[in-house]
Amino acid sequence: MDIDMEVVLQNLTKKFPSRDRKNRGEVIAVNDFTFKIPDGKLIGLLGPSGCGKSTTLNLISGLEKPTSGRIFFGGDDVTELPPENRGIGLVFQNYALYPHLTVEQNILFPLQNLKGKDKLSKEVMLEKAREAAKMVQIDELMDRKPSQLSGGQQQRVAIARALVKMPKVLLLDEPLSNLDARLRLQTREEIRRIQRETGITTIFVTHDQEEAMSISDLIVVMKEGVALQIGKPQEVYDSPANLFVAKFLGTPPINLFHGQVKAGRIYIGENAVMDVGDISDREVYVGVRPEGFLPSEEGALCCKLKGIEVMGRDISIVSENPASLNPTVRAIIGTENKLNLEQEALEEGNEVRFSLIPHKVFLFDRETEERIQFEESGL
Ligand code: ADP
Ligand code: MG
Protein backbone atom coordinates (compact mmCIF):
# COMPACT_ATOMS: atom_id res chain seq x y z
CA MET A 1 0.00 0.00 0.00
CA ASP A 2 1.20 3.52 -0.71
CA ILE A 3 -0.09 5.14 2.47
CA ASP A 4 1.60 4.52 5.80
CA MET A 5 -1.10 3.11 8.06
CA GLU A 6 0.69 2.82 11.35
CA VAL A 7 -1.81 2.63 14.22
CA VAL A 8 -0.82 4.27 17.49
CA LEU A 9 -2.58 3.72 20.81
CA GLN A 10 -1.54 6.34 23.33
CA ASN A 11 -2.29 5.81 27.04
CA LEU A 12 -5.59 4.26 26.05
CA THR A 13 -7.91 3.60 29.00
CA LYS A 14 -11.49 2.37 29.09
CA LYS A 15 -13.51 2.11 32.29
CA PHE A 16 -16.99 0.65 32.53
CA PRO A 17 -19.39 1.01 35.41
CA SER A 18 -19.39 -2.41 37.07
CA ARG A 19 -22.21 -4.73 35.95
CA ASP A 20 -22.24 -6.19 39.44
CA ARG A 21 -25.06 -4.35 41.25
CA LYS A 22 -23.72 -5.07 44.71
CA ASN A 23 -20.30 -3.82 43.80
CA ARG A 24 -20.69 -0.25 42.59
CA GLY A 25 -17.08 0.17 41.50
CA GLU A 26 -15.82 0.32 37.96
CA VAL A 27 -14.09 -2.15 35.69
CA ILE A 28 -10.90 -0.99 34.02
CA ALA A 29 -11.23 -3.01 30.81
CA VAL A 30 -8.21 -1.37 29.16
CA ASN A 31 -5.58 0.19 31.40
CA ASP A 32 -3.13 2.77 30.05
CA PHE A 33 -2.37 0.85 26.86
CA THR A 34 0.39 2.39 24.76
CA PHE A 35 1.47 0.62 21.60
CA LYS A 36 2.58 1.37 18.06
CA ILE A 37 1.25 -1.07 15.46
CA PRO A 38 3.61 -0.91 12.48
CA ASP A 39 2.20 -0.31 9.01
CA GLY A 40 1.23 -3.44 7.12
CA LYS A 41 1.82 -5.86 9.98
CA LEU A 42 -0.44 -8.42 11.61
CA ILE A 43 -0.67 -8.01 15.37
CA GLY A 44 -2.08 -10.69 17.64
CA LEU A 45 -3.86 -9.44 20.76
CA LEU A 46 -3.68 -12.40 23.09
CA GLY A 47 -5.00 -13.05 26.57
CA PRO A 48 -7.57 -14.95 28.61
CA SER A 49 -11.28 -14.20 28.45
CA GLY A 50 -12.14 -10.86 30.06
CA CYS A 51 -8.65 -9.34 29.77
CA GLY A 52 -9.82 -6.49 27.54
CA LYS A 53 -9.08 -7.68 24.01
CA SER A 54 -12.50 -6.91 22.52
CA THR A 55 -12.66 -3.57 24.29
CA THR A 56 -9.26 -2.64 22.82
CA LEU A 57 -10.48 -3.59 19.37
CA ASN A 58 -13.74 -1.70 19.85
CA LEU A 59 -11.77 1.40 20.83
CA ILE A 60 -9.67 1.11 17.67
CA SER A 61 -12.81 0.67 15.55
CA GLY A 62 -14.67 3.51 17.28
CA LEU A 63 -17.52 1.31 18.53
CA GLU A 64 -16.41 2.37 22.03
CA LYS A 65 -15.13 5.78 23.16
CA PRO A 66 -12.04 5.75 25.40
CA THR A 67 -12.26 7.14 28.92
CA SER A 68 -8.87 8.70 28.21
CA GLY A 69 -6.02 8.41 25.73
CA ARG A 70 -5.75 8.91 21.97
CA ILE A 71 -5.77 6.78 18.83
CA PHE A 72 -3.90 7.69 15.64
CA PHE A 73 -4.20 6.13 12.17
CA GLY A 74 -1.24 7.04 9.95
CA GLY A 75 -0.53 10.15 12.02
CA ASP A 76 -4.16 11.38 12.09
CA ASP A 77 -5.95 11.56 15.43
CA VAL A 78 -9.11 9.47 14.91
CA THR A 79 -10.18 9.37 18.57
CA GLU A 80 -13.33 11.42 17.92
CA LEU A 81 -14.19 9.91 14.51
CA PRO A 82 -17.22 7.62 14.22
CA PRO A 83 -16.48 4.04 13.05
CA GLU A 84 -17.77 4.62 9.51
CA ASN A 85 -15.21 7.37 8.94
CA ARG A 86 -12.20 5.42 10.13
CA GLY A 87 -11.71 3.20 7.08
CA ILE A 88 -11.80 -0.04 9.04
CA GLY A 89 -13.01 -3.55 8.23
CA LEU A 90 -14.47 -5.61 11.06
CA VAL A 91 -14.89 -9.35 11.43
CA PHE A 92 -16.44 -10.96 14.51
CA GLN A 93 -16.66 -14.46 15.89
CA ASN A 94 -20.30 -14.87 14.86
CA TYR A 95 -20.26 -14.05 11.18
CA ALA A 96 -23.19 -11.63 11.47
CA LEU A 97 -24.28 -11.99 7.85
CA TYR A 98 -27.70 -10.82 6.70
CA PRO A 99 -29.63 -14.12 6.44
CA HIS A 100 -32.08 -12.91 3.79
CA LEU A 101 -29.36 -11.61 1.47
CA THR A 102 -27.23 -13.70 -0.90
CA VAL A 103 -23.47 -13.91 -0.53
CA GLU A 104 -23.06 -11.31 -3.26
CA GLN A 105 -25.57 -8.93 -1.66
CA ASN A 106 -23.87 -9.36 1.72
CA ILE A 107 -20.50 -8.44 0.25
CA LEU A 108 -21.99 -5.55 -1.73
CA PHE A 109 -23.67 -4.10 1.33
CA PRO A 110 -20.85 -1.85 2.62
CA LEU A 111 -20.37 -0.41 -0.89
CA GLN A 112 -24.04 0.43 -1.32
CA ASN A 113 -23.83 2.62 1.76
CA LEU A 114 -21.18 4.88 0.26
CA LYS A 115 -22.48 8.42 -0.17
CA GLY A 116 -21.59 11.56 -2.14
CA LYS A 117 -18.25 11.54 -3.91
CA ASP A 118 -17.50 7.99 -2.72
CA LYS A 119 -20.62 6.60 -4.43
CA LEU A 120 -19.81 3.84 -6.93
CA SER A 121 -21.54 2.67 -10.11
CA LYS A 122 -23.30 -0.71 -10.05
CA GLU A 123 -20.65 -2.22 -12.34
CA VAL A 124 -17.74 -1.07 -10.17
CA MET A 125 -19.47 -2.38 -7.05
CA LEU A 126 -20.04 -5.80 -8.61
CA GLU A 127 -16.45 -5.93 -9.79
CA LYS A 128 -15.14 -5.10 -6.30
CA ALA A 129 -17.44 -7.69 -4.70
CA ARG A 130 -16.17 -10.31 -7.14
CA GLU A 131 -12.55 -9.43 -6.35
CA ALA A 132 -13.13 -9.70 -2.61
CA ALA A 133 -14.96 -13.01 -3.04
CA LYS A 134 -12.12 -14.36 -5.14
CA MET A 135 -9.61 -13.40 -2.50
CA VAL A 136 -11.32 -15.67 0.05
CA GLN A 137 -12.25 -18.28 -2.59
CA ILE A 138 -16.02 -18.06 -2.39
CA ASP A 139 -16.65 -16.56 -5.85
CA GLU A 140 -18.49 -19.78 -6.85
CA LEU A 141 -21.04 -19.28 -4.06
CA MET A 142 -22.29 -15.78 -4.85
CA ASP A 143 -25.95 -16.71 -5.24
CA ARG A 144 -26.30 -18.74 -2.05
CA LYS A 145 -27.88 -17.60 1.18
CA PRO A 146 -25.83 -17.83 4.40
CA SER A 147 -27.93 -20.79 5.61
CA GLN A 148 -26.67 -22.76 2.61
CA LEU A 149 -23.03 -22.33 3.64
CA SER A 150 -20.77 -24.07 6.14
CA GLY A 151 -19.41 -22.11 9.10
CA GLY A 152 -16.06 -21.72 7.36
CA GLN A 153 -17.70 -20.42 4.19
CA GLN A 154 -19.82 -17.96 6.17
CA GLN A 155 -16.72 -16.63 7.86
CA ARG A 156 -15.08 -16.18 4.45
CA VAL A 157 -18.07 -14.12 3.34
CA ALA A 158 -17.70 -11.99 6.46
CA ILE A 159 -14.02 -11.49 5.65
CA ALA A 160 -14.83 -10.60 2.03
CA ARG A 161 -17.39 -8.07 3.27
CA ALA A 162 -14.75 -6.53 5.55
CA LEU A 163 -12.23 -6.38 2.68
CA VAL A 164 -14.46 -5.05 -0.08
CA LYS A 165 -13.91 -1.37 0.77
CA MET A 166 -10.17 -2.02 1.03
CA PRO A 167 -10.01 -0.88 4.64
CA LYS A 168 -6.95 0.89 5.99
CA VAL A 169 -7.08 -1.26 9.08
CA LEU A 170 -8.58 -4.74 9.41
CA LEU A 171 -9.88 -5.76 12.85
CA LEU A 172 -10.67 -9.41 13.60
CA ASP A 173 -12.22 -10.44 16.92
CA GLU A 174 -11.81 -14.19 17.53
CA PRO A 175 -12.76 -14.86 13.88
CA LEU A 176 -11.94 -18.57 14.03
CA SER A 177 -13.56 -19.53 17.33
CA ASN A 178 -16.73 -20.95 15.78
CA LEU A 179 -14.88 -23.15 13.29
CA ASP A 180 -13.86 -26.76 13.82
CA ALA A 181 -10.17 -27.55 14.29
CA ARG A 182 -9.29 -28.31 10.66
CA LEU A 183 -11.11 -25.29 9.25
CA ARG A 184 -9.58 -23.11 11.91
CA LEU A 185 -6.13 -24.08 10.75
CA GLN A 186 -6.99 -23.59 7.09
CA THR A 187 -8.78 -20.27 7.61
CA ARG A 188 -5.99 -18.83 9.71
CA GLU A 189 -3.51 -19.60 6.93
CA GLU A 190 -5.94 -17.94 4.54
CA ILE A 191 -6.15 -14.81 6.69
CA ARG A 192 -2.36 -14.69 6.83
CA ARG A 193 -2.13 -14.99 3.04
CA ILE A 194 -4.73 -12.27 2.41
CA GLN A 195 -3.05 -10.00 4.94
CA ARG A 196 0.33 -10.47 3.22
CA GLU A 197 -1.16 -9.93 -0.25
CA THR A 198 -3.05 -6.78 0.66
CA GLY A 199 -0.57 -5.37 3.18
CA ILE A 200 -3.48 -4.11 5.31
CA THR A 201 -2.49 -3.33 8.90
CA THR A 202 -4.37 -6.03 10.81
CA ILE A 203 -5.23 -6.62 14.45
CA PHE A 204 -6.26 -10.14 15.30
CA VAL A 205 -7.81 -10.92 18.68
CA THR A 206 -7.65 -14.41 20.14
CA HIS A 207 -7.43 -16.26 23.47
CA ASP A 208 -5.64 -19.12 21.69
CA GLN A 209 -1.89 -18.78 22.12
CA GLU A 210 -1.06 -21.22 19.33
CA GLU A 211 -3.25 -19.28 16.91
CA ALA A 212 -1.67 -15.98 17.87
CA MET A 213 1.86 -17.37 17.74
CA SER A 214 1.40 -18.92 14.30
CA ILE A 215 -0.20 -15.97 12.53
CA SER A 216 1.27 -12.80 14.05
CA ASP A 217 4.24 -10.59 13.25
CA LEU A 218 3.97 -9.28 16.80
CA ILE A 219 1.95 -10.45 19.75
CA VAL A 220 0.66 -8.42 22.66
CA VAL A 221 -0.01 -10.51 25.77
CA MET A 222 -2.76 -8.90 27.87
CA LYS A 223 -3.93 -9.51 31.42
CA GLU A 224 -6.58 -7.51 33.26
CA GLY A 225 -6.49 -4.64 30.80
CA VAL A 226 -2.70 -4.31 30.83
CA ALA A 227 -0.30 -5.17 28.01
CA LEU A 228 2.25 -7.34 29.82
CA GLN A 229 4.59 -8.03 26.94
CA ILE A 230 4.90 -7.10 23.27
CA GLY A 231 7.22 -8.81 20.84
CA LYS A 232 7.76 -11.30 18.06
CA PRO A 233 6.05 -14.58 18.99
CA GLN A 234 9.28 -16.56 19.25
CA GLU A 235 11.00 -13.84 21.29
CA VAL A 236 8.14 -13.74 23.79
CA TYR A 237 8.18 -17.54 24.06
CA ASP A 238 11.96 -17.63 24.49
CA SER A 239 12.10 -14.71 26.87
CA PRO A 240 8.88 -14.26 28.86
CA ALA A 241 8.81 -11.13 31.01
CA ASN A 242 6.95 -12.75 33.89
CA LEU A 243 5.30 -15.90 35.17
CA PHE A 244 1.92 -15.15 33.59
CA VAL A 245 3.38 -14.83 30.08
CA ALA A 246 5.54 -17.93 30.57
CA LYS A 247 2.47 -19.94 31.60
CA PHE A 248 0.22 -18.56 28.88
CA LEU A 249 2.49 -19.45 25.94
CA GLY A 250 3.38 -22.99 24.94
CA THR A 251 1.69 -26.39 24.55
CA PRO A 252 2.26 -28.43 26.57
CA PRO A 253 2.71 -25.65 29.11
CA ILE A 254 5.89 -24.77 30.93
CA ASN A 255 6.74 -26.95 33.98
CA LEU A 256 6.92 -24.97 37.21
CA PHE A 257 8.71 -25.84 40.42
CA HIS A 258 9.14 -24.25 43.82
CA GLY A 259 12.85 -23.60 44.04
CA GLN A 260 15.61 -21.71 45.78
CA VAL A 261 18.69 -19.86 44.70
CA LYS A 262 21.47 -20.65 47.17
CA ALA A 263 25.09 -19.61 46.73
CA GLY A 264 24.70 -19.09 43.00
CA ARG A 265 22.88 -22.35 42.33
CA ILE A 266 19.26 -23.19 41.55
CA TYR A 267 17.82 -25.88 43.77
CA ILE A 268 14.68 -27.86 43.09
CA GLY A 269 14.16 -29.68 46.37
CA GLU A 270 17.56 -31.17 47.24
CA ASN A 271 18.72 -31.18 43.64
CA ALA A 272 21.16 -28.47 42.52
CA VAL A 273 20.07 -28.22 38.90
CA MET A 274 21.99 -25.24 37.50
CA ASP A 275 24.57 -22.57 38.23
CA VAL A 276 23.27 -19.03 37.85
CA GLY A 277 26.16 -16.78 38.87
CA ASP A 278 25.62 -13.80 41.13
CA ILE A 279 21.94 -13.89 42.02
CA SER A 280 21.35 -13.37 45.72
CA ASP A 281 19.81 -16.20 47.72
CA ARG A 282 16.02 -16.24 47.51
CA GLU A 283 12.87 -18.27 46.96
CA VAL A 284 11.94 -18.57 43.29
CA TYR A 285 9.70 -20.32 40.84
CA VAL A 286 11.73 -22.35 38.37
CA GLY A 287 10.11 -22.73 34.94
CA VAL A 288 11.36 -25.39 32.53
CA ARG A 289 9.95 -25.69 29.02
CA PRO A 290 8.97 -29.29 28.14
CA GLU A 291 11.79 -29.34 25.56
CA GLY A 292 14.31 -28.23 28.21
CA PHE A 293 14.86 -31.67 29.78
CA LEU A 294 17.50 -34.17 28.71
CA PRO A 295 17.11 -37.61 30.26
CA SER A 296 20.50 -38.76 31.51
CA GLU A 297 21.71 -41.04 34.25
CA GLU A 298 23.90 -38.25 35.62
CA GLY A 299 21.12 -35.66 35.37
CA ALA A 300 20.76 -33.36 38.36
CA LEU A 301 16.96 -33.27 38.57
CA CYS A 302 15.49 -36.41 40.03
CA CYS A 303 11.83 -37.31 39.30
CA LYS A 304 9.62 -40.37 39.67
CA LEU A 305 8.50 -41.87 36.39
CA LYS A 306 4.77 -42.06 35.70
CA GLY A 307 4.78 -43.10 32.08
CA ILE A 308 6.03 -42.63 28.54
CA GLU A 309 3.78 -41.36 25.77
CA VAL A 310 4.91 -41.85 22.19
CA MET A 311 3.20 -39.33 19.94
CA GLY A 312 4.63 -39.85 16.47
CA ARG A 313 7.01 -36.94 16.20
CA ASP A 314 8.14 -36.97 19.82
CA ILE A 315 8.11 -38.75 23.14
CA SER A 316 6.71 -37.37 26.39
CA ILE A 317 8.23 -38.51 29.64
CA VAL A 318 5.64 -37.93 32.34
CA SER A 319 6.98 -37.90 35.89
CA GLU A 320 6.40 -36.49 39.36
CA ASN A 321 8.47 -34.25 41.56
CA PRO A 322 7.49 -33.06 45.05
CA ALA A 323 8.48 -29.47 44.19
CA SER A 324 6.39 -29.34 41.02
CA LEU A 325 3.42 -26.94 41.00
CA ASN A 326 1.66 -29.14 38.45
CA PRO A 327 0.56 -32.70 39.23
CA THR A 328 3.03 -34.02 36.68
CA VAL A 329 6.24 -32.93 35.01
CA ARG A 330 6.14 -33.30 31.25
CA ALA A 331 9.39 -33.58 29.30
CA ILE A 332 9.30 -33.75 25.50
CA ILE A 333 12.09 -35.55 23.71
CA GLY A 334 12.31 -35.61 19.93
CA THR A 335 12.27 -39.17 18.57
CA GLU A 336 15.54 -38.38 16.79
CA ASN A 337 17.19 -38.07 20.23
CA LYS A 338 16.84 -41.74 20.98
CA LEU A 339 16.13 -42.33 24.63
CA ASN A 340 19.44 -43.44 26.05
CA LEU A 341 17.80 -45.27 28.92
CA GLU A 342 17.55 -49.01 29.36
CA GLN A 343 14.09 -50.47 28.83
CA GLU A 344 13.76 -51.67 32.43
CA ALA A 345 14.59 -48.15 33.64
CA LEU A 346 11.38 -46.94 32.02
CA GLU A 347 8.99 -48.67 34.37
CA GLU A 348 6.54 -46.66 36.39
CA GLY A 349 7.77 -45.69 39.85
CA ASN A 350 11.43 -45.77 38.87
CA GLU A 351 13.67 -42.79 39.26
CA VAL A 352 14.27 -40.77 36.10
CA ARG A 353 16.97 -38.11 35.96
CA PHE A 354 17.19 -35.04 33.77
CA SER A 355 19.78 -32.45 33.04
CA LEU A 356 18.32 -29.09 32.06
CA ILE A 357 19.02 -27.05 28.94
CA PRO A 358 20.00 -23.64 30.37
CA HIS A 359 18.16 -21.39 27.88
CA LYS A 360 14.94 -23.35 28.49
CA VAL A 361 15.05 -22.58 32.21
CA PHE A 362 13.53 -19.39 33.67
CA LEU A 363 13.51 -18.00 37.18
CA PHE A 364 10.66 -15.91 38.59
CA ASP A 365 10.51 -13.92 41.79
CA ARG A 366 8.12 -15.56 44.28
CA GLU A 367 6.63 -12.21 45.28
CA THR A 368 6.42 -10.16 42.09
CA GLU A 369 6.38 -13.11 39.64
CA GLU A 370 8.70 -11.06 37.43
CA ARG A 371 11.45 -12.87 35.55
CA ILE A 372 14.91 -12.88 37.15
CA GLN A 373 17.58 -12.73 34.47
CA PHE A 374 20.73 -14.76 34.90
CA GLU A 375 23.84 -15.75 32.99
CA GLU A 376 23.33 -19.13 31.41
CA SER A 377 26.17 -21.35 32.52
CA GLY A 378 24.83 -24.87 33.00
CA LEU A 379 26.22 -26.85 35.91
P1 ADP B 1 -12.09 -10.04 26.24
O1 ADP B 1 -12.50 -9.65 24.88
O2 ADP B 1 -10.60 -10.10 26.42
O3 ADP B 1 -12.73 -11.32 26.70
P2 ADP B 1 -13.58 -7.68 27.07
O4 ADP B 1 -12.86 -6.56 26.41
O5 ADP B 1 -14.83 -8.14 26.45
O6 ADP B 1 -12.57 -8.91 27.28
O7 ADP B 1 -13.91 -7.28 28.58
C1 ADP B 1 -12.94 -6.74 29.45
C2 ADP B 1 -13.58 -6.44 30.80
O8 ADP B 1 -14.50 -5.37 30.67
C3 ADP B 1 -14.35 -7.61 31.39
O9 ADP B 1 -14.19 -7.56 32.78
C4 ADP B 1 -15.78 -7.29 31.00
O10 ADP B 1 -16.68 -7.85 31.91
C5 ADP B 1 -15.80 -5.77 31.07
N1 ADP B 1 -16.75 -5.17 30.12
C6 ADP B 1 -16.72 -5.23 28.77
N2 ADP B 1 -17.74 -4.55 28.22
C7 ADP B 1 -18.45 -4.03 29.26
C8 ADP B 1 -19.63 -3.20 29.37
N3 ADP B 1 -20.26 -2.76 28.28
N4 ADP B 1 -20.06 -2.88 30.61
C9 ADP B 1 -19.41 -3.30 31.72
N5 ADP B 1 -18.30 -4.05 31.69
C10 ADP B 1 -17.82 -4.43 30.49
MG1 MG C 1 -13.71 -10.71 23.49
Side-chain angles (χ1 to χ4, degrees):
M1 269 195 159
D2 46 351
I3 38 164
D4 184 359
M5 201 34 71
E6 171 186 281
V7 174
V8 176
L9 313 180
Q10 201 177 76
N11 303 105
L12 210 55
T13 295
K14 178 66 178 180
K15 298 177 183 174
F16 291 110
S18 172
R19 283 166 172 157
D20 184 353
R21 293 199 171 216
K22 285 189 218 121
N23 178 355
R24 288 265 170 146
E26 45 188 18
V27 180
I28 308 180
V30 178
N31 194 348
D32 198 20
F33 197 144
T34 295
F35 179 41
K36 191 186 289 178
I37 300 165
D39 174 51
K41 298 290 183 200
L42 194 158
I43 305 307
L45 263 188
L46 172 67
S49 175
C51 73
K53 304 180 297 294
S54 293
T55 305
T56 304
L57 211 68
N58 293 343
L59 291 169
I60 298 170
S61 70
L63 294 174
E64 297 276 7
K65 280 252 138 53
T67 309
S68 58
R70 315 292 315 167
I71 301 166
F72 300 88
F73 282 8
D76 298 331
D77 189 335
V78 300
T79 317
E80 305 301 329
L81 280 187
E84 59 273 22
N85 296 345
R86 292 193 186 191
I88 47 153
L90 273 169
V91 178
F92 297 102
Q93 175 178 344
N94 54 342
Y95 329 116
L97 302 175
Y98 299 106
H100 58 289
L101 299 183
T102 64
V103 167
E104 185 175 75
Q105 288 163 336
N106 265 285
I107 301 173
L108 280 172
F109 195 84
L111 299 178
Q112 288 163 336
N113 279 347
L114 295 174
K115 305 258 157 56
K117 65 169 176 42
D118 295 328
K119 208 167 154 51
L120 301 172
S121 71
K122 185 113 200 283
E123 292 70 48
V124 174
M125 281 197 277
L126 282 171
E127 181 52 34
K128 282 181 182 281
R130 248 194 308 275
E131 264 172 40
K134 239 195 200 115
M135 203 150 13
V136 298
Q137 294 163 3
I138 47 157
D139 45 320
E140 316 267 278
L141 308 172
M142 291 299 237
D143 297 326
R144 296 216 196 156
K145 294 274 176 68
S147 61
Q148 297 167 303
L149 301 175
S150 71
Q153 290 168 332
Q154 290 185 54
Q155 194 55 299
R156 284 163 194 253
V157 178
I159 295 169
R161 188 178 57 183
L163 287 172
V164 73
K165 279 207 282 183
M166 270 299 152
K168 293 184 276 192
V169 180
L170 183 61
L171 304 171
L172 307 149
D173 194 346
E174 312 242 12
L176 309 179
S177 296
N178 285 356
L179 306 182
D180 64 43
R182 229 164 52 100
L183 258 182
R184 212 177 310 154
L185 204 70
Q186 191 188 332
T187 312
R188 91 178 182 211
E189 285 165 8
E190 196 102 309
I191 289 173
R192 187 56 177 149
R193 175 184 61 79
I194 293 164
Q195 196 276 329
R196 286 248 169 88
E197 276 175 22
T198 57
I200 298 174
T201 306
T202 299
I203 301 156
F204 183 100
V205 162
T206 178
H207 63 273
D208 181 331
Q209 56 91 23
E210 205 184 321
E211 200 168 284
M213 297 270 287
S214 64
I215 202 175
S216 310
D217 294 307
L218 291 173
I219 57 171
V220 181
V221 183
M222 286 186 78
K223 181 195 177 195
E224 292 167 10
V226 177
L228 289 184
Q229 191 169 1
I230 297 169
K232 291 183 181 158
Q234 193 65 41
E235 285 170 9
V236 179
Y237 181 82
D238 289 337
S239 191
N242 54 48
L243 186 65
F244 180 88
V245 174
K247 280 161 72 174
F248 204 76
L249 298 188
T251 36
I254 194 163
N255 296 280
L256 291 172
F257 302 88
H258 291 290
Q260 286 87 33
V261 174
K262 278 188 292 196
R265 287 192 153 175
I266 307 175
Y267 284 82
I268 295 176
E270 302 287 295
N271 302 145
V273 293
M274 247 173 75
D275 280 347
V276 285
D278 56 351
I279 295 180
S280 57
D281 292 6
R282 68 182 89 179
E283 298 284 306
V284 291
Y285 292 115
V286 184
V288 185
R289 292 282 183 207
E291 66 276 21
F293 298 91
L294 291 173
S296 122
E297 275 161 37
E298 293 83 50
L301 179 66
C302 182
C303 298
K304 197 168 93 181
L305 190 68
K306 289 284 289 174
I308 307 280
E309 294 172 12
V310 182
M311 299 273 284
R313 197 163 33 106
D314 40 43
I315 299 167
S316 292
I317 304 179
V318 183
S319 62
E320 288 176 335
N321 183 291
S324 172
L325 274 73
N326 319 82
T328 57
V329 176
R330 186 171 284 266
I332 296 200
I333 319 293
T335 37
E336 70 281 5
N337 296 324
K338 248 183 70 211
L339 276 182
N340 55 356
L341 295 171
E342 295 299 328
Q343 200 54 43
E344 54 268 33
L346 296 177
E347 276 168 33
E348 182 172 346
N350 280 357
E351 178 182 89
V352 56
R353 290 183 160 269
F354 299 105
S355 47
L356 303 182
I357 302 171
H359 71 276
K360 294 289 179 183
V361 177
F362 308 120
L363 293 185
F364 304 97
D365 188 281
R366 275 281 178 99
E367 299 290 314
T368 64
E369 302 192 349
E370 291 299 309
R371 168 109 172 268
I372 304 163
Q373 300 281 353
F374 60 85
E375 298 275 323
E376 289 168 9
S377 60
L379 191 71

